């Protein structure tokens, strides 16, 4: 590729704006500027230089900050759209039709539109993910595009810069020293700048004081962290990188933990505590009677014995006893088990008595375990009751057939067959809570409800996420880069002593000019330098005066 | 006096200190023409009073923390007051970096507005539900609020910048929006006034209505109902019937409050215009005339630079750690979370536009104000209207 040669003789790569060696402006644009654009120190940026091949075009597209910012803004607006109505995963219904209905019912026409446009499941939509992907590509390309040349140019800085470079800095000074012997001036500057923790280099009559160059790497480090974080998030979509299961476990039960092979959990008890405070104004306004204080499941975690077959619960080893509470999950071997939900007073068992309708004589009673009912209960000689059908969550009759809404014993109903010495062939009766039994004919015996036992059920979530360390690494790098780029600034001061003893100086910082000027004030006073001016502020003043004269 | 009373009194002292501080700072600027040394003295006094107010409010915060047993950032009242406190803290920090008193002229009144707004909500100490009982949550909320208040200083600087740079005498789009912002502040005052007035009268109107699940519910209005809930029926005697009834998808009680605030705010504003016969921005313009625009612009940028990492740490990183501890998932697309992400993306855009596209001065000042609007939106609107996991109300 052709080179640009500067008057000073240095050959610069094509696209350079400011000579790498002496600092003379090279491009027409740079020559026309009163204050040089010092971004990337005027080095050749690939995207600003080539625009021929398809690859150049793609590269330039993604490295453009305009495109980058547009992507950020589009992501921002898209994200905001997703908060207008609740997302689908917050809607507690099962089927698509129910969801559609939910949005229509609660939010009217807009809700319907929202659902139909797919905005109700926005964050997992393909286009949202592509948007984030494009953002990621843009960050990578833009960082490489600018980071590498910037690194090179900052590494090879010359002390001595040409006058045309110095004059075109934002902060400049030119003139004789204000006091004393000018031959000492550079020494004084060096001394003071070193005091201010600048690194000072000298080359004949020129001096360069520089501080915090590493701050320039801040954005590149934070972009790197961001990319690592995004990669971590993407990995999560691959199977096997994370476990997300849930389980209901009743008090007294021991169950295999879904997603956590070889482990069993025992629910010893579930505790719900509430505050006993007087209701506050907020509570009254919202009609909340009591505020929950604690949700807790006391558990025992067991591990299956080595070499045990699946589901073998013999010889299990107790590994941990713990009280799982909200905010205090049980953690073991990379897994974490969270308290998520509960059901109080689930029916555990029901007791019935087999009685003669007329005399009220009892033939014995039976206790039905509602999660695991027996087929047949023997109450005495020639006396037994069979459960022909069991509906744990009876929800009514459909075409004369009893239905159950779920597997949970919320509203148990039974079809009993009662066999007694009187009626050895048995009598059939359909029994549900709160209704009189339905019988095929006129029975002589009936099942009389005696009582129930209840217990609590705890809803737990089991999670494991191997991408978390990647996210932590990405996050830490991001914050580190952010701090470096935000809390430190790269400051430079170029000084030259001219033949006649006069001083010419120029200063630059990538941000925080206020503090740079404070440093300059100190050294100006100490080394009796001519007063510097801020060419940008001066320009503004002039513009103002111009306005006034009109 | 119990601890909670002491706490309340300290907040009261802080509130008045911010008002008096504002007066002194405004005074210091007025006098700038003649007696420069006296002006400087007034400015210094203003700052000292602001610092006293800040310390007093810190006292409120700590005593309430001790009394409640948890950080007082757990409901709308507590969080909004804390935000006001951090805003004053951020102003003091920036003052010691740049010695620009005039920022107090905007920062302190905003803090006053915040605290007034906060006391319109229930101020009692509420016990924490289990999910909020977490140190990570406290760290998250406090750091996020500090980050937001530092970011807010850029809006303060932006407003000062625009008050100076936008010509108040000639009509322009910029002047219109600047005046719109100031009008909005008057509406907030309107909200405070109506709430205090009707609360003082002990106004109460009870309604039954049918909610959007078709269930009968009850609701109590604390101001005359302009809008009625779906199929509402008035149960209290001798109070106003709603003018219009709203469908079930709209919370007519909140709408009533909003409309009342705008009504009173607009009346106040019109009264002001009638008496003074100038836009507010013209009234304020002379106060910021002596301001060094370049410096104020730089302060705006610097406060974003300082605030952005703090905000990232508090609102995203600590939030994710808490979410992971509490729910086992570091991110859940809850509206409040999404709006924190939006705020973060917005300030990222601000930084890129400024750094690479050279958006300085006016453009950057407007961006800073939009950023602040997003923060306010997240605080007020998302909390009160789009309810989610984090909703305090
Ligand atoms: C949400 C994602 C992003 C975040 C949080 C972010 C963060 C940052 C930060 C904090 C800075 C330093 C700004 C300053 O110091 O004033 C920066 C600089 C920069 N960013 Fe990003 N960035 C993001 C996305 C992007 C994208 C998509 C691009 C693509 C064009 C990009 C290109 C740049 C460039 C070119 C710089 C200037 C670097 C320099 O001057 O040395 N960034 N970024």
């Amino acid at each position: 590729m052709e080179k640009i040669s500067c008057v000073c003789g240095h050959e610069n790569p094509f696209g350079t704006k400011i000579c790498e060696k002496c600092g003379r402006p090279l491009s027409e644009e740079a020559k026309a500027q009163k204050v040089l654009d010092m971004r990337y120190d005027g080095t050749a940026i690939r995207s600003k230089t080539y625009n021929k091949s398809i690859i150049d075009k793609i590269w330039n597209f993604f490295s453009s900050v305009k495109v980058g910012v547009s992507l950020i803004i589009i992501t921002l607006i898209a994200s905001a759209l997703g908060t207008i109505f609740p997302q689908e995963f917050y809607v507690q219904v099962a089927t698509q039709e129910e969801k559609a209905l939910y949005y229509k019912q609660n939010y009217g026409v807009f809700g319907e539109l929202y659902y139909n446009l797919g905005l109700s499941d926005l964050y997992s939509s393909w286009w949202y993910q592509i948007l984030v992907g494009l953002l990621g590509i843009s960050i990578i390309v833009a960082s490489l595009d600018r980071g590498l040349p910037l690194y090179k140019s900052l590494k090879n800085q010359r002390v001595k810069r040409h006058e045309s470079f110095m004059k075109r800095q934002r902060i400049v000074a030119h003139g004789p020293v204000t006091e004393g012997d000018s031959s000492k001036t550079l020494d004084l500057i060096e001394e003071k700048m070193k005091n201010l923790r600048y690194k000072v280099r000298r080359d004949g009559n020129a001096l360069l004081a520089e501080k915090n160059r590493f701050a320039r790497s801040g954005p590149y480090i934070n972009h790197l962290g961001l990319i690592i974080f995004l990669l971590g998030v993407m990995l999560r979509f691959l199977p096997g990188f994370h476990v997300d299961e849930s389980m209901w476990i009743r008090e007294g039960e021991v169950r295999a933990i879904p997603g956590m092979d070889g482990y069993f959990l025992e629910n010893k008890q579930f505790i719900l505590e509430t505050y006993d405070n007087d209701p506050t104004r907020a509570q009254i306004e919202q009609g909340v009677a009591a505020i929950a204080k604690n949700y807790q499941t006391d558990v025992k975690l067991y591990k299956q014995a080595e070499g045990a077959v699946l589901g073998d619960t013999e010889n299990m080893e107790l590994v941990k006893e713990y009280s799982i509470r909200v905010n205090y999950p049980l953690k073991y071997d990379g897994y974490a088990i969270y308290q998520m939900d509960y059901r109080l007073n689930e029916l555990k068992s029901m007791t019935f008595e087999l009685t003669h309708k007329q005399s009220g004589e009892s033939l014995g009673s039976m206790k039905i375990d509602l999660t695991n009912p027996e087929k047949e209960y023997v109450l005495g000689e020639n006396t037994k009751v069979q459960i022909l059908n069991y509906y744990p969550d009876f929800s009514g009759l459909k075409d004369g057939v009893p239905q159950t809404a779920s597997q949970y014993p919320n509203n148990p109903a039974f079809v009993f067959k009662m066999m007694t010495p009187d009626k050895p062939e048995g009598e059939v009766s359909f029994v549900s809570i709160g209704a009189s039994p339905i019988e095929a004919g006129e029975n002589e015996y009936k099942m009389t409800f005696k009582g129930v036992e209840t217990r609590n059920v705890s809803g737990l979530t089991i999670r494991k996420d191997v991408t978390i360390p990647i996210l932590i690494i990405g996050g830490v790098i991001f914050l580190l880069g952010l701090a470096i780029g935000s809390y430190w600034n790269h400051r430079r001061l170029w000084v030259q002593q001219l033949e006649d003893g006069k001083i010419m100086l120029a200063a630059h910082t990538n941000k925080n000019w206020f503090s740079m000027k404070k440093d300059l004030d100190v050294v100006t006073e100490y080394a009796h330098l001519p007063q510097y001016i801020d060419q940008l502020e001066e320009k503004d003043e002039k513009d103002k005066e111009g306005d006034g004269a009109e | 006096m119990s601890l909670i009373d002491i706490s309340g009194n300290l907040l009261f002292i802080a509130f008045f200190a911010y008002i008096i501080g504002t007066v002194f700072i405004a005074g210091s600027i007025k006098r700038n023409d003649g007696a420069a040394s006296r002006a400087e003295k007034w400015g210094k006094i203003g700052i000292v009073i602001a610092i006293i107010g800040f310390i007093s409010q810190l006292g409120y915060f700590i005593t309430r923390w001790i009394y409640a047993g948890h950080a007082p950032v757990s409901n709308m009242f507590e969080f909004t007051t804390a935000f006001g406190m951090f805003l004053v803290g951020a102003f003091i920090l920036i003052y010691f970096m740049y010695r620009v008193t005039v920022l107090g002229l905007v920062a302190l009144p905003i803090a006053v507005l915040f605290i007034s707004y906060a006391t319109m909500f229930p101020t009692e100490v509420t016990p924490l539900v289990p999910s909020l009982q977490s140190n990570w949550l406290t760290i998250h909320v406090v750091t996020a609020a500090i980050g937001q208040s530092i970011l807010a200083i850029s809006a303060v600087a932006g407003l000062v910048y625009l008050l100076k740079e936008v010509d108040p005498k000639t009509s322009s789009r910029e002047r219109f929006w600047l005046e719109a912002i100031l009008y909005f502040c008057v509406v907030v005052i309107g909200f405070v006034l109506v709430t205090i007035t009707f609360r003082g009268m002990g106004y109460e109107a009870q309604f039954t209505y049918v909610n959007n699940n078709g269930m009968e519910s009850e609701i109590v209005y604390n101001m005359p109902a302009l809008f009625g809930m779906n199929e509402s029926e008035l149960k209290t005697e001798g109070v106003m019937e709603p003018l219009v009834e709203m469908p079930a998808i709209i919370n007519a009680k909140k709408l009533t409050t909003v409309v009342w605030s705008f009504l009173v705010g607009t009346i106040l504003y019109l009264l002001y215009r009638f008496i003074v016969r100038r836009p507010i921005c013209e009234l304020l313009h002379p106060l910021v005339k002596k301001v060094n625009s370049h410096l104020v612009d730089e302060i705006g940028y610097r406060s974003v630079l300082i605030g952005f990492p703090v905000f990232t740490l508090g609102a995203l990183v600590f939030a994710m750690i808490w979410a992971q501890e509490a729910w086992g998932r570091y991110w859940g697309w809850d509206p409040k979370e999404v709006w924190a992400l939006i705020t973060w993306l917005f300030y990222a855009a601000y930084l890129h536009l400024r750094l690479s596209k050279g958006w300085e001065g006016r453009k950057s000042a407007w961006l800073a104000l939009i950023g602040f609007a997003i923060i306010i939106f997240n605080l007020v609107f998302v909390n009160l209207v789009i309810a989610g996991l984090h909703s305090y109300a």
Side-chain angles (χ1 to χ4, degrees):
Chain A
M1 206 21 99
E2 62 182 301
K3 299 260 179 190
I4 305 178
S5 54
C6 176
V7 190
C8 71
H10 182 75
E11 299 267 302
N12 292 289
F14 182 64
T16 308
K17 296 199 182 76
I18 300 173
C19 173
E20 291 171 333
K21 188 175 171 205
C22 69
R24 278 189 183 86
L26 296 175
S27 68
E28 289 308 315
E29 188 195 346
K31 281 178 192 156
Q33 283 165 337
K34 184 158 190 278
V35 174
L36 280 178
D37 180 0
M38 285 289 288
R39 263 183 295 146
Y40 318 113
D41 272 37
T43 52
I45 304 294
R46 191 185 195 285
S47 66
K48 296 265 158 42
T49 310
Y50 304 105
N51 193 15
K52 293 236 168 60
S53 67
I54 277 279
I55 298 205
D56 291 342
K57 293 222 159 88
I58 294 176
W59 180 271
N60 295 356
F61 177 80
F62 282 114
S63 71
S64 150
V65 175
K66 210 187 266 170
V67 171
V69 171
S70 308
L71 285 171
I72 292 178
I73 300 288
I74 295 171
T75 313
L76 182 162
I77 293 171
S79 309
L81 285 179
T83 65
I84 298 178
F85 299 131
Q87 290 287 301
E88 278 175 26
F89 42 76
Y90 285 115
V91 176
Q92 306 278 351
V93 293
T95 64
Q96 286 306 111
E97 292 83 57
E98 279 175 311
K99 280 180 188 163
L101 194 67
Y102 174 90
Y103 284 96
K104 196 175 163 187
Q105 234 169 28
N106 284 286
Y107 308 105
V109 208
F110 294 111
E112 209 178 352
L113 190 69
Y114 196 73
Y115 179 80
N116 288 334
L117 285 177
L119 297 179
S120 57
D121 193 19
L122 184 144
Y123 305 110
S124 44
S125 69
W126 58 269
W127 60 270
Y128 189 80
Q129 296 186 8
I130 286 181
L131 206 55
V132 176
L134 291 178
L135 201 61
I137 295 172
S138 175
I139 295 173
I140 297 174
V141 173
S143 300
L144 290 176
D145 189 50
R146 291 140 217 259
L148 298 178
L150 179 67
Y151 174 76
K152 264 194 267 171
S153 94
L154 288 178
K155 197 158 174 254
N156 304 319
Q157 283 182 84
R158 302 291 158 103
V159 174
K160 197 165 183 171
R161 296 294 175 110
H162 188 257
E163 204 185 311
S164 53
F165 173 86
M166 308 267 284
K167 274 191 186 152
R168 283 184 174 82
Q169 292 302 311
R170 179 170 159 184
I171 288 183
V172 293
H174 186 193
V177 291
T178 51
E179 201 185 310
D181 179 6
S182 71
S183 65
K184 290 269 192 317
T185 304
L186 287 184
D187 293 337
L188 287 176
I189 297 176
E190 175 167 358
E191 188 190 333
K192 195 75 216 173
M193 291 314 271
K194 277 187 172 157
N195 253 341
L196 293 173
R197 297 174 198 230
Y198 283 70
K199 292 200 182 77
V200 179
R201 277 156 61 199
R202 281 174 69 170
D203 177 5
N205 64 344
L207 177 150
L208 166 61
E210 187 178 20
K211 185 180 188 173
N212 298 342
R213 189 197 290 171
F214 72 98
R216 294 297 279 273
S217 62
Y220 304 96
I221 297 176
N222 86 43
H223 288 164
L224 175 72
L226 217 50
I227 292 301
I228 294 176
F229 189 93
L230 281 180
L231 284 178
V233 172
M234 269 158 58
L235 268 187
R236 216 163 165 273
F237 290 110
L238 298 180
F241 277 91
H242 87 288
V243 173
D244 182 358
E245 300 280 353
S246 57
M247 71 194 283
W248 285 100
I249 181 165
R250 300 173 172 92
E251 283 174 328
E253 257 185 340
V254 180
R255 298 186 67 130
I257 305 175
M260 197 172 166
D261 292 340
Y263 287 93
F264 283 77
L265 200 68
E266 176 182 348
N267 179 353
K268 290 199 302 177
Q269 65 170 339
F270 173 79
I271 302 168
L272 166 67
E273 289 169 280
T274 53
Y275 290 101
D276 52 3
N277 63 315
D278 296 328
T280 61
R281 208 179 109 206
Q283 259 173 283
I284 294 164
E285 277 181 8
Q286 292 169 48
V288 181
I291 298 179
K293 184 179 182 181
N294 187 25
Y295 304 116
Q296 174 176 332
T297 310
D298 293 340
V299 297
K300 281 181 173 169
L301 177 69
Y302 297 99
K303 190 180 176 152
Q304 245 180 354
E306 286 294 330
V309 290
L310 216 66
D312 175 11
T313 54
E314 296 291 309
N315 308 318
M316 289 194 306
E317 175 197 351
L318 175 70
V319 281
K320 208 165 175 176
E321 250 191 289
Y322 190 77
S323 297
I324 302 178
R325 292 184 292 145
V326 176
N327 272 310
Y328 299 90
L330 163 61
K331 290 185 183 168
Y332 190 77
D333 193 20
Y335 292 90
I337 303 179
Y338 297 85
Q339 179 71 50
M340 290 302 269
D341 210 347
Y342 63 92
R343 282 202 306 266
L344 291 184
N345 305 324
E346 187 189 81
L347 296 176
K348 181 185 176 195
S349 67
M350 283 177 119
T351 309
F352 289 94
E353 207 170 39
L354 178 60
T355 48
H356 189 263
K357 274 189 183 173
Q358 228 107 60
S359 66
E361 182 203 352
S362 166
L363 295 189
S365 67
M366 55 189 260
K367 182 165 151 188
I368 305 170
D369 179 347
L370 294 172
T371 40
N372 208 1
E374 311 264 341
K375 284 245 174 310
E376 186 176 88
Y377 294 81
V378 179
L379 302 182
E381 209 173 322
N382 296 330
T383 312
K384 57 187 181 180
V385 177
Q386 286 178 346
I387 298 182
L388 296 185
N389 264 313
Y390 170 44
Y391 310 96
D393 195 359
F394 176 59
S395 57
L397 297 171
K398 192 176 169 192
D399 305 330
V401 182
Q403 304 291 318
T404 184
S406 71
Q407 291 312 304
Y408 303 117
N410 295 327
N411 185 25
F414 308 87
V415 178
F416 290 121
K417 188 171 186 187
M418 301 165 280
M419 274 155 293
T420 49
D422 297 359
K423 298 267 180 186
E425 71 285 5
E427 295 174 316
V428 176
S429 168
F430 175 78
V431 177
S432 61
I433 298 174
S436 46
I438 301 169
E439 298 168 359
E442 184 66 23
N443 289 346
E444 286 196 16
Y445 289 87
K446 67 171 181 177
M447 298 297 287
T448 312
F449 173 70
K450 279 291 165 197
V452 290
E453 272 181 332
T454 61
R455 60 182 161 184
N456 300 330
V457 192
S458 186
L460 303 174
T461 298
I462 300 95
R463 292 210 157 104
K464 179 183 183 166
D465 196 338
V466 292
T467 63
I468 295 234
I470 304 177
L471 302 183
I472 293 176
I473 293 170
V476 167
I477 294 178
F478 176 75
L479 285 174
L480 211 67
L482 204 56
I484 290 174
S486 306
Y487 299 150
W488 281 273
N489 336 108
H490 180 214
R491 301 176 192 169
R492 278 175 294 176
L493 170 69
W494 297 274
V495 188
Q496 264 175 59
Q497 187 148 37
L498 307 176
E499 305 277 296
D500 54 4
K502 278 189 185 166
I503 294 293
M504 181 160 71
L505 70 80
H508 181 262
T509 177
N510 62 334
K511 51 191 62 145
N512 194 359
W513 292 85
F514 180 76
S515 299
M516 174 93 236
K517 285 180 192 169
K518 278 211 274 198
D519 287 354
L520 288 176
D521 288 338
V522 172
V523 72
T524 300
E525 170 158 354
Y526 188 78
H528 316 297
L529 302 175
Q531 180 56 42
Y532 63 86
I533 52 167
D534 181 333
Q535 302 207 68
L536 280 191
E537 286 190 14
E538 201 189 32
K539 180 169 157 286
D540 277 6
E541 298 293 309
K542 284 222 181 83
D543 291 350
K544 283 263 161 59
E545 280 162 28
D547 286 350
E550 268 168 34
Chain B
M1 210 161 38
S2 79
L3 203 57
I4 192 72
D5 295 328
I6 296 175
S7 178
N9 289 336
L10 286 172
L11 182 61
F12 205 61
I13 295 172
F15 182 78
F16 280 101
Y18 298 154
I19 294 177
I20 299 167
T22 313
V23 172
F24 269 91
I25 290 172
S28 79
I29 295 157
K30 275 268 175 189
R31 271 145 227 270
N32 226 357
D33 321 327
S37 72
R38 189 151 118 227
E40 196 167 310
K41 210 166 105 200
W42 276 60
K44 283 252 162 67
I45 296 174
I47 295 292
V48 169
I49 295 175
I51 294 175
I52 291 173
F54 178 72
I55 292 171
S56 176
Q57 198 177 354
L58 209 58
Y60 142 82
F61 193 77
I62 293 167
T63 45
R64 192 176 170 101
W65 190 328
I66 295 168
Y67 175 82
H70 59 257
V73 285
S74 68
N75 60 34
M76 200 61 186
F77 161 73
E78 291 176 339
F79 185 81
T80 316
T81 0
F83 190 82
M85 175 174 80
F86 292 132
L87 188 70
V88 176
F91 159 65
I92 295 169
L93 174 82
I94 296 285
Y95 171 78
F96 281 110
M97 289 166 80
Y98 288 93
R99 306 269 164 188
V100 178
T101 349
V102 69
L103 295 180
L105 202 58
V106 176
L108 294 178
I110 292 181
V112 170
L113 277 186
F114 266 112
I115 298 174
S116 327
Y117 178 77
T119 49
M120 300 304 109
F121 293 89
T123 58
E124 300 130 310
V125 171
T126 32
L128 290 185
V129 297
S131 63
L132 301 185
Q133 298 165 11
S134 157
N135 290 334
W136 279 116
L137 178 67
T138 307
I139 296 170
H140 150 56
V141 176
V142 170
T143 320
I146 293 176
Q148 285 177 332
S149 10
I150 303 174
L151 290 172
I153 293 293
S154 77
V156 169
L159 193 61
V160 169
Y161 184 92
L162 291 170
L163 281 174
K164 180 185 174 193
E165 291 290 317
V166 174
D167 180 1
K169 290 225 161 58
T170 45
S171 146
S172 64
R173 220 168 58 202
E174 280 191 310
R175 192 186 72 167
F176 172 81
W177 285 110
L178 195 57
E179 191 65 12
I181 290 172
L182 297 168
Y183 161 74
F184 189 73
C185 295
V186 180
V187 171
V188 178
I189 298 175
F191 168 72
V192 173
L193 284 183
V194 268
T195 313
I196 290 178
T197 311
F198 288 121
R199 193 186 287 170
M201 291 162 52
Y203 190 93
E204 223 169 72
Q206 201 170 5
F207 292 92
T208 56
Y209 71 100
V210 177
N211 70 14
N212 53 8
N213 295 330
M215 309 265 265
E216 180 124 326
S217 307
E218 277 187 17
I219 197 162
V220 178
Y221 280 49
N222 298 105
M223 33 184 97
L226 301 173
F227 301 94
M229 305 290 286
N230 181 40
E231 296 178 32
S232 65
E233 227 172 279
L234 186 59
K235 293 284 167 197
T236 313
E237 282 182 20
V239 294
M240 195 178 101
E241 285 276 356
L243 301 178
V244 196
E245 187 168 289
M246 288 284 127
I249 53 172
I250 289 172
N251 184 333
K253 181 186 173 185
K254 285 172 183 168
L255 186 65
T256 297
T257 310
V258 171
V259 172
W260 266 114
S261 310
F262 269 90
L263 268 177
V264 174
T266 309
I267 292 170
L268 278 181
Y269 181 77
L270 290 177
L271 265 178
Y272 157 82
R273 286 298 290 261
F274 186 71
I275 297 167
V276 183
R277 299 194 167 274
R278 280 186 299 179
I280 308 182
C281 62
E282 193 176 336
L283 186 80
L284 296 178
H285 183 69
L287 294 180
V288 294
K289 223 167 159 183
K290 290 254 146 58
V291 169
N292 175 346
S293 310
H294 261 282
L295 189 57
V296 171
D297 179 48
E298 192 174 320
I299 293 173
Y301 179 33
R302 191 84 193 285
S303 41
V304 175
L305 275 177
I306 298 174
F308 188 69
V310 180
F311 179 78
T312 311
L313 190 66
L316 298 177
V317 176
F318 288 153
M320 287 188 203
I321 296 176
W322 170 60
Q324 185 69 27
E325 286 294 302
W327 317 110
R329 46 145 191 73
Y330 51 88
W331 193 259
W333 296 109
D334 167 81
K336 193 98 199 180
E337 271 172 359
V338 176
W339 276 92
L341 177 70
I342 289 171
T343 313
W344 185 75
L345 286 173
F346 182 83
Y347 281 101
Y350 171 102
L351 287 172
H352 288 88
L353 286 170
R354 179 147 184 139
L355 196 69
S356 295
K357 292 264 139 240
W359 279 33
E360 299 187 2
R362 289 178 187 221
K363 281 181 178 166
S364 153
W366 280 113
L367 284 182
L369 284 169
I370 296 172
F372 187 55
I374 295 177
I375 291 176
I376 300 286
F377 182 84
N378 198 0
L379 175 66
V380 177
F381 200 72
V382 177
N383 267 333
L384 298 184
V385 182
I386 313 177
L389 272 184
H390 292 66
S391 177
Y392 292 134

